[in-house]
Amino acid sequence: MSKIRVRFAPSPTGYLHIGSLRTALYDYLFAQKNDGDFILKIEDTDRKRFVDGAVESLIKSLDLLGLKRNEGVFQKTINKNNDRPVLNSKNYPGILEVGDYGPYIQSEKIEIYKKYAEELIKKGYAYYCFCTQERLEEMRRDQSVMKKPPIYDRYCLKNISEKEINQKLKEKCSYVVRLKMPQDETLEFEDMVRGKVKFETNLVDDTVLLKSDGFPTYHLANVIDDYEMKVTHVIRGEEWLSSVPKHLILYRYFGWTPPQFAHLPLLLNADKSKLSKRQGDVAVEDYLKKGYLKEALLNFVAFLGWNPGKGETQEIFTLEELVEKFDFSHVHKSGAVFDIKKLDWTNSQWIKKMSLDELWSRTGIFLKIKEFYKNWSEKNKNWSNKEKEEYEKKVLTLERERLVKLSEVGESNKFFFEDIVYDKNLLKWKDMNDEKLKNNLKKARKILSAISKKEWKRKNLEKNLLEASEENRGEFLWPLRVALTGEQKSPPPFECAWVLGKEETLKRIEKALNLFL
Ligand code: GLU
């Protein structure tokens, strides 16, 4: 069997869509699993939708997520010690094209597509169409009134002689080239996800192959690329399923064997409508900016349309584990709902799983921009970086169990970074009186003063405070906890004292006591 070759073929429209990420991920998993090649090519022939900088940002996102390709377009920073040809992209200065089957960017292949289109015309498989926009609109209006399918009526195929065509071409009349679909045929193919799929050719439009600006359409360019790049498996979203009959006919007319197809289920909003920007973010970059981990995002996206099979209860997978498990037999046909709660859960699981060092370094960029952190850092500018790191790691130790997104770091425990403004009543447990409250805070102060800085450890603080709390824990621990945090809810007092350190803990108790002088 020939080597498996898959390609991810995004159009640079501005950002990496969640659905595109899923396609790229399945491409990656399938290629890795089968020791195949994973190619990145760029479909940039639709100049109306083109966004400057989008190609570069797409590549950056894929690299950031760790979806490694071994062929196609790359950032210029890649290691050039490669045994394959490396070219500078003609149209994108920051980009390299690596591999034997380039160019990997459609806008750099315009002449090639033209040549193939001319070959089809010569063989009678495609034809010139000079219809104006007005004529096409009128035709569509009539079709809609007569409830006929909206397909081209072949006016130019039926009514224009070769002589007229040559004359029009000489006069530089505007034209497109259309595919001549065979009639009265049922086309059938086996999709790796959907099984047998059939199409009636009479219902398929004579699609445009070359546009009036000389650029190819998606259909022509896509088929030529896949053939020239020796792609064996085309993996893409279900929205492209209706293109297959056009592609199959192109393969037939050129005399090429079509690749295998896998059309992935639609991504849906919770209300089952198609996943759209209107109902929330669809750009991968936005999720990363919001504090979702790349590992969690990949893990979550893998499950949008796939599962590891019956009896498999594991839900948290690394990329390597996904490669191991991935299989098209477990890709579903029905639409996959994008459930943000599931993404949150997956993210929180990854946060719990990650080492403290890793979590600290990943939360850094989110923490450092927060006002409360900047003030704290300024106030403690005499602390060394090491001391700050240790303090932040302690905060994270308490926080990670409840952290959903990296961007929330410090938010639920701001009292570790800010001075507290006390609510006197909150310090009291139920209806305890001032006297009892003061005595209990003093008692806590005494116990804590006796613990040396060296012994200031989580377990030790817990043991000492619990032992001292006697029968009414609430009356002892509540005022202490509120003295340290100022909050209705927070981690227990021994944990907070551990983070704050001896000096600050005693200072806060003192401050609370001063309210009752
Ligand atoms: N350019 C298409 C897209 O952005 C690719 C479709 C295909 O893979 O054939 O989805």
Side-chain angles (χ1 to χ4, degrees):
M1 220 182 80
S2 59
K3 190 171 196 192
I4 281 181
R5 287 172 58 80
V6 297
R7 86 308 189 257
F8 176 48
S11 302
T13 52
Y15 54 87
L16 182 60
H17 189 284
I18 282 282
S20 301
L21 172 60
R22 184 193 51 183
T23 303
L25 175 62
Y26 287 12
D27 273 323
Y28 173 87
L29 299 176
F30 187 65
Q32 286 280 320
K33 178 138 194 165
N34 294 289
D35 242 340
D37 291 324
F38 178 22
I39 308 159
L40 174 64
K41 68 153 176 158
I42 301 293
E43 301 210 323
D44 62 344
T45 53
D46 188 350
R47 305 315 284 176
K48 276 190 245 111
R49 292 173 68 214
F50 181 77
V51 173
D52 221 21
V55 174
E56 292 79 357
S57 108
L58 258 167
I59 300 178
K60 226 167 109 194
S61 297
L62 291 176
D63 288 344
L64 199 89
L65 289 156
L67 297 182
K68 291 207 181 79
R69 292 86 56 204
N70 55 342
E71 195 173 318
V73 301
F74 289 86
Q75 281 178 294
K76 260 209 173 127
T77 47
I78 59 154
N79 179 3
K80 285 183 205 165
N81 278 342
N82 200 307
D83 52 359
R84 304 211 218 177
V86 180
L87 281 175
N88 284 318
S89 154
K90 259 201 333 225
N91 293 352
Y92 301 92
I95 282 174
L96 293 179
E97 300 184 49
V98 179
D100 294 305
Y101 307 102
Y104 292 92
I105 297 176
Q106 288 185 337
S107 62
E108 295 172 3
K109 296 179 67 175
I110 302 304
E111 289 312 312
I112 299 176
Y113 302 127
K114 241 188 211 154
K115 190 187 90 204
Y116 278 112
E118 278 159 14
E119 182 188 323
L120 289 179
I121 297 172
K122 233 181 255 150
K123 289 184 177 158
Y125 292 144
Y127 60 93
Y128 293 101
C129 171
F130 299 94
C131 286
T132 60
Q133 210 46 43
E134 294 75 56
R135 177 174 187 271
L136 293 174
E137 276 161 23
E138 197 178 312
M139 174 194 85
R140 273 184 208 122
R141 264 198 307 274
D142 292 349
Q143 285 169 335
S144 131
V145 172
M146 290 158 79
K147 300 218 160 28
K148 281 190 177 168
I151 56 180
Y152 181 60
D153 61 3
R154 296 195 153 174
Y155 178 86
C156 288
L157 180 66
K158 293 180 199 151
N159 302 303
I160 305 189
S161 68
E162 198 153 342
K163 212 170 129 204
E164 279 172 290
I165 292 173
N166 287 332
Q167 185 59 32
K168 280 182 186 289
L169 291 178
K170 226 197 255 157
E171 287 166 12
K172 301 246 175 290
C173 293
S174 172
Y175 69 84
V176 299
V177 173
R178 286 183 185 275
L179 175 69
K180 188 175 160 195
M181 277 302 283
Q183 297 298 285
D184 305 322
E185 238 193 85
T186 304
L187 292 176
E188 210 177 272
F189 82 100
E190 193 69 30
D191 189 90
M192 285 161 70
V193 176
R194 320 195 64 80
K196 215 180 266 321
V197 184
K198 287 184 187 176
F199 292 100
E200 297 303 326
T201 55
N202 290 6
L203 298 176
V204 181
D205 200 14
D206 279 358
T207 197
V208 173
L209 298 176
L210 270 191
K211 295 180 277 189
S212 54
D213 60 5
F215 273 61
T217 55
Y218 158 74
H219 304 293
L220 181 68
N222 189 273
V223 164
I224 291 171
D225 290 348
D226 285 344
Y227 166 73
E228 290 198 328
M229 292 173 195
K230 300 197 186 312
V231 167
T232 57
H233 294 75
V234 166
I235 301 167
R236 62 188 169 197
E238 190 184 303
E239 61 273 28
W240 301 105
L241 187 63
S242 58
S243 301
V244 177
K246 299 169 185 174
H247 296 187
L248 288 177
I249 292 306
L250 278 169
Y251 280 103
R252 180 196 291 175
Y253 286 166
F254 283 125
W256 302 333
T257 311
Q260 297 224 54
F261 294 101
H263 288 89
L264 311 177
L266 286 178
L267 296 188
L268 308 173
N269 293 303
D271 65 1
K272 302 281 160 85
S273 58
K274 200 174 158 195
L275 189 68
S276 72
K277 216 175 160 68
R278 251 174 300 128
Q279 296 207 27
D281 287 323
V282 289
V284 169
E285 293 87 329
D286 289 341
Y287 285 97
L288 295 172
K289 270 190 222 141
K290 275 190 189 163
Y292 290 99
L293 292 158
K294 59 180 184 185
E295 293 86 347
L297 210 51
L298 290 172
N299 191 159
F300 166 76
V301 164
F303 275 79
L304 290 175
W306 169 86
N307 66 54
K310 273 211 180 81
E312 176 63 81
T313 49
Q314 185 179 342
E315 288 187 273
I316 300 302
F317 289 89
T318 61
L319 196 53
E320 293 73 37
E321 288 169 329
L322 287 171
V323 170
E324 177 92 1
K325 292 274 177 218
F326 187 77
D327 184 351
F328 270 103
S329 66
H330 290 121
V331 175
H332 324 146
K333 283 197 208 100
S334 52
V337 174
F338 184 98
D339 179 1
I340 190 81
K341 284 201 209 89
K342 179 81 191 284
L343 174 58
D344 284 349
W345 178 83
T346 309
N347 210 51
S348 66
Q349 295 302 309
W350 269 97
I351 286 177
K352 286 194 186 93
K353 191 174 140 91
M354 168 166 289
S355 75
L356 188 60
D357 283 346
E358 183 75 26
L359 186 62
W360 175 77
S361 74
R362 299 243 207 146
T363 43
I365 52 162
F366 294 100
L367 187 61
K368 301 229 154 81
I369 54 168
K370 296 191 192 253
E371 243 6 84
F372 66 81
Y373 178 84
K374 286 197 245 172
N375 294 335
W376 173 81
S377 189
E378 177 59 27
K379 211 174 102 192
N380 297 302
K381 55 174 178 274
N382 57 333
W383 287 26
S384 68
N385 286 343
K386 190 91 207 113
E387 282 169 322
K388 283 189 180 161
E389 178 181 330
E390 269 168 24
Y391 189 81
E392 288 156 25
K393 280 183 176 166
K394 282 183 184 165
V395 176
L396 277 173
T397 306
L398 299 197
E399 211 174 24
R400 72 189 298 169
E401 282 306 307
R402 269 172 297 141
L403 208 56
V404 175
K405 285 177 260 174
L406 299 180
S407 52
E408 292 163 359
V409 59
E411 290 290 344
S412 63
N413 292 321
K414 280 195 203 147
F415 53 84
F416 284 132
F417 300 98
E418 286 176 333
D419 287 338
I420 304 170
V421 183
Y422 292 107
D423 168 357
K424 213 169 154 181
N425 283 326
L426 192 60
L427 281 158
K428 287 183 196 161
W429 171 253
K430 295 196 175 150
D431 50 8
M432 77 194 293
N433 60 33
D434 284 9
E435 215 40 46
K436 182 87 186 150
L437 174 87
K438 271 198 290 187
N439 286 340
N440 280 358
L441 280 179
K442 281 182 189 160
K443 183 170 153 189
R445 182 176 61 184
K446 193 164 163 224
I447 293 163
L448 291 169
S449 304
I451 301 175
S452 70
K453 279 194 179 168
K454 219 168 129 230
E455 291 302 313
W456 200 265
K457 304 220 170 78
R458 257 171 117 181
K459 285 278 158 255
N460 201 27
L461 290 164
E462 180 174 355
K463 187 172 146 271
N464 278 280
L465 288 172
L466 287 184
E467 268 170 20
S469 64
E470 296 160 8
E471 72 284 358
N472 196 341
R473 283 206 167 157
E475 286 195 345
F476 181 63
L477 295 179
W478 178 274
L480 174 60
R481 195 187 58 70
V482 178
L484 299 184
T485 67
E487 299 285 333
Q488 177 91 29
K489 279 192 193 133
S490 73
F494 21 91
E495 308 263 25
C496 296
W498 170 66
V499 175
L500 291 166
K502 184 167 180 180
E503 213 172 295
E504 181 65 18
T505 297
L506 294 176
K507 226 186 311 82
R508 289 189 181 195
I509 297 174
E510 208 56 50
K511 197 170 163 196
L513 273 169
N514 284 344
L515 296 173
F516 297 91
L517 285 179

